[in-house]
Structures are given as C-alpha cells and as structure tokens.
C-alpha cells in the first residue's frame, strides 16, 4: 500500500497549472494571504506585496482575487479527483487503503491549499461554484463506485453507500483543518492510521 500511495502522490504536481515563475509567485502569495486573512480579509494589495509585484501587474495574469481563489479551488479539487480515481483502481479492499492513505497524506502535506479551497467556497462566483461542485461530485461518485464494488464482492459491510463514501472522504478532508507539522503523527503515519480506521469502519475482514 505504501509504495502505491507514494507513486500516486509523486505524480501530483500542485503548481503544474501555472508554468511561469510570476504566476506561481502570485498564486502562492494569494494562497498564503487567503489562509492567513481569509478571502474577504485579503486585498489585492496584500497579494501584490506577497508576490513582490505591483497591483497593476497582477491584472496581467488574473482579473480579480476571486479568479485567484477559483484557480486554487479548481486545481485543488481536480487533484483530489485525480488522486481518488487512480487509487480506486483494483481490488476493493486494497484500493480503499490506498485511497484513504493517499487522500489523508495529501491533505496533511498540502493542508494550506486544502483548507482554503474547503472553507472559502462561499466566496466563489456562481458559475465558478458550479464548476467546483461538479468536481466534488466526480470525486464522491468515484468513492461511491468503489464502495459499491466492495459491497457487491462481499468485502465491505455497508448499508448506506453514499453515507459511507461521505464519511471516508471526510476523514481526509478534516485533516487540513487541524493538522500541523511536529505533532503526534507524520503525514505517512496518519495515512496508515486512517486507512486502518476506514477498513474497520467498512467491515473489511
């Protein structure tokens, strides 16, 4: 399980959507400011100062701070969907361990962006919010399909597959809220713990 988790995580590049160093400076500054001040407490001046650019220079790459939040949200949710899609392949019990392990590890290691995209969704414009909601539905569907396969194979003892899928995803998502480095668990240790808890929750023999 550990090797598969490492392989999946190694293939996920958070910054690949922004190839230029300037874009990465802007997005990184926006992420840090959203995490520290919240979306509504962040101004374009904060982002400009954090990126070392003028406010006018930001508009060359992004039209507004909402567009920056949307770019971060879209990237974070797309990576989550891609992660679970890769992890869900194969025998259900093993796939569950890989999925929960990788999903938990990613939310611990990338807790800043995970926290921002989860807790600042209400600031997105309607059209952008709909696109993010579609990505979330895709992710949930993949997990539901995996659990359904496991139930059909007699591997999982689950009476409510949608509810169980929500619980499995919540395990990893909530990590971004409370996790910090230097605590009791490393991301790797937490991934193993949560994979074991998920297996027990779903009745894996």
């Amino acid at each position: 399980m550990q090797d598969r988790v490492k392989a999946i995580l190694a293939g996920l590049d958070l910054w690949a959507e922004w190839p230029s160093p300037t874009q990465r400076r802007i997005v990184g500054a926006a992420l840090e400011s959203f995490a520290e001040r919240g979306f509504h407490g962040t101004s374009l001046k904060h982002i400009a100062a954090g990126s070392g650019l003028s406010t006018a220079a930001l508009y060359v790459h992004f039209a507004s701070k909402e567009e920056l939040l949307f770019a971060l949200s879209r990237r974070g949710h797309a990576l989550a969907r891609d992660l679970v899609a890769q992890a869900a392949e194969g025998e259900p019990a093993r796939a569950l361990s890989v999925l929960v392990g990788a999903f938990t590890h990613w939310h611990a290691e990338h807790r800043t962006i995970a926290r921002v995209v989860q807790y600042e969704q209400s600031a997105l414009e309607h059209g952008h919010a709909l696109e993010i909601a579609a990505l979330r539905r895709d992710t949930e569907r993949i997990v539901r399909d995996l659990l359904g396969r496991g139930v059909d194979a007699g591997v999982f003892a689950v009476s409510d597959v949608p509810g169980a899928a929500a619980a499995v995803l919540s395990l990893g998502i909530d990590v971004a809220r409370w996790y910090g480095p230097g605590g009791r668990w490393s991301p790797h240790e937490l991934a193993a713990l949560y994979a074991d808890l998920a297996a027990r929750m779903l009745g894996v023999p």
Side-chain angles (χ1 to χ4, degrees), residues 17-31:
E17 187 168 323
W18 304 289
S20 81
T22 300
Q23 287 178 320
R24 294 186 181 196
R25 284 162 57 193
I26 295 170
V27 173
L31 175 60

Side-chain angles (χ1 to χ4, degrees), residues 1-203:
M1 189 269 282
Q2 296 176 5
D3 290 343
R4 178 65 176 147
V5 168
K6 289 179 180 178
I8 291 173
L9 293 173
L12 301 177
D13 182 358
L14 176 61
W15 301 101
E17 187 168 323
W18 304 289
S20 81
T22 300
Q23 287 178 320
R24 294 186 181 196
R25 284 162 57 193
I26 295 170
V27 173
L31 175 60
E32 292 302 320
S33 190
F34 292 154
E36 179 183 350
R37 302 178 178 90
F39 176 81
H40 295 293
T42 293
S43 68
L44 285 175
K45 288 184 178 180
H46 290 133
I47 298 171
S51 62
L53 299 169
S54 68
T55 303
L58 299 182
Y59 289 109
V60 175
H61 302 277
F62 297 95
S64 66
K65 68 172 184 174
E66 191 277 339
E67 188 175 298
L68 276 161
L69 177 62
F70 172 58
L72 285 163
S73 296
R74 182 180 57 205
R75 184 62 180 158
H77 282 91
L79 285 174
R81 179 203 56 197
D82 294 347
L83 182 156
V84 299
Q86 293 180 62
E89 298 173 354
E91 189 276 322
R94 182 175 185 274
L96 174 71
S97 292
V98 172
L99 188 153
V100 173
F103 199 67
T104 300
H105 193 293
W106 192 90
H107 278 79
E109 188 171 4
H110 298 285
R111 55 197 171 275
T112 303
I113 186 172
R115 190 167 61 250
V116 167
V117 305
Q118 289 295 332
Y119 296 111
E120 298 290 348
Q121 291 183 69
S122 62
L124 292 171
E125 294 178 358
H126 181 66
H128 290 164
L130 290 177
E131 188 169 335
I132 298 306
L135 287 169
R136 291 171 68 91
R137 286 194 300 272
D138 286 346
T139 302
E140 293 162 2
R141 175 187 52 78
I142 293 166
V143 178
R144 287 198 304 270
D145 289 349
L146 168 60
L147 299 192
R149 287 197 293 114
V151 170
D152 292 343
V155 176
F156 302 147
V158 177
S159 59
D160 183 344
V161 167
V168 166
L169 288 170
S170 294
L171 282 173
I173 290 170
D174 193 56
V175 166
R177 177 184 60 80
W178 63 264
Y179 184 81
R184 180 175 179 180
W185 302 284
S186 68
H188 170 75
E189 292 168 337
L190 194 62
L193 172 63
Y194 275 29
D196 180 65
L197 290 174
R200 292 173 183 271
M201 179 175 68
L202 298 182

